[in-house]
């Protein structure tokens, strides 16, 4: 990663993910949501989304440094791979009939939307750097 700004951005994003995990966990405990009955723990969800997010950011940064014209396409390809992994990962939650299933579904899809939005915004910022 040749650009120090990109390295800093990835480190800041990783710190935000870690802080978000603890805030999310605290909020669930404070509200009284039993997240220990979920199909996947909050930690595994944050690891899943966080690792994919960092991979997307690193890929977009690398592609922008090597061939700027392929940034959008690389973002779309890796996001598609994320969607496939997402479907495999969410399948047990969608089939669940437990009492916490509705909360777990909202939590999972909410996290997906938040992470995807941030990845998209970062990609848009990178695409606008060259203008």
């Amino acid at each position: 990663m040749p650009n120090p700004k990109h390295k800093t951005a990835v480190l800041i994003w990783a710190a935000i993910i870690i802080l978000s995990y603890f805030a999310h966990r605290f909020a669930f405990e404070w509200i009284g949501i039993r997240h220990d009955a979920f199909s996947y723990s909050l930690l595994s969800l944050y690891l899943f989304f966080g690792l994919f997010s960092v991979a997307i950011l690193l890929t977009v940064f690398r592609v922008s440094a090597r061939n700027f014209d392929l940034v959008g396409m690389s973002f779309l390809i890796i996001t598609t791979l994320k969607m496939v992994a997402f479907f495999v990962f969410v399948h047990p939650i969608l089939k669940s009939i437990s009492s916490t299933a509705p909360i777990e579904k909202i939590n999972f899809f909410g996290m997906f939307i938040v992470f995807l939005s941030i990845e998209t915004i970062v990609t848009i910022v990178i695409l606008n750097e060259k203008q």
Side-chain angles (χ1 to χ4, degrees):
M1 189 178 328
N3 191 337
K5 275 188 355 182
H6 295 165
K7 186 176 183 179
T8 304
V10 170
L11 291 174
I12 290 171
W13 180 232
I16 290 171
I17 292 170
I18 292 167
L19 290 173
S20 296
Y21 164 73
F22 287 111
H24 198 161
R25 188 176 170 127
F26 174 76
F28 271 10
E29 290 175 8
W30 187 61
I31 295 171
I33 296 174
R34 294 210 41 212
H35 57 87
D36 55 341
F38 286 0
S39 298
Y40 299 109
S41 69
L42 279 181
L43 180 60
S44 63
L45 290 176
Y46 271 91
L47 286 173
F48 172 75
F49 285 113
L51 291 175
F52 258 104
S53 184
V54 169
I56 288 172
L57 293 179
L58 290 174
T59 302
V60 169
F61 289 148
R62 274 220 172 128
V63 170
S64 72
R66 291 187 179 160
N67 189 351
F68 185 77
D69 294 333
L70 297 177
V71 170
M73 186 60 68
S74 64
F75 174 76
L76 290 174
I77 290 169
I78 200 162
T79 301
T80 302
L81 293 173
K82 178 182 175 179
M83 288 292 291
V84 170
F86 165 79
F87 180 75
V88 170
F89 207 67
V90 78
H91 196 66
I93 296 172
L94 294 175
K95 297 282 186 189
S96 177
I97 56 171
S98 71
S99 62
T100 60
I103 296 169
E104 188 173 11
K105 289 174 189 175
I106 292 168
N107 181 56
F108 192 89
F109 286 107
M111 286 178 64
F112 179 78
I113 290 168
V114 167
F115 276 84
L116 181 63
S117 298
I118 293 169
E119 294 157 5
T120 304
I121 290 168
V122 169
T123 303
I124 290 168
V125 168
I126 290 170
L127 289 170
N128 284 332
E129 282 180 355
K130 293 291 181 177
Q131 289 184 358

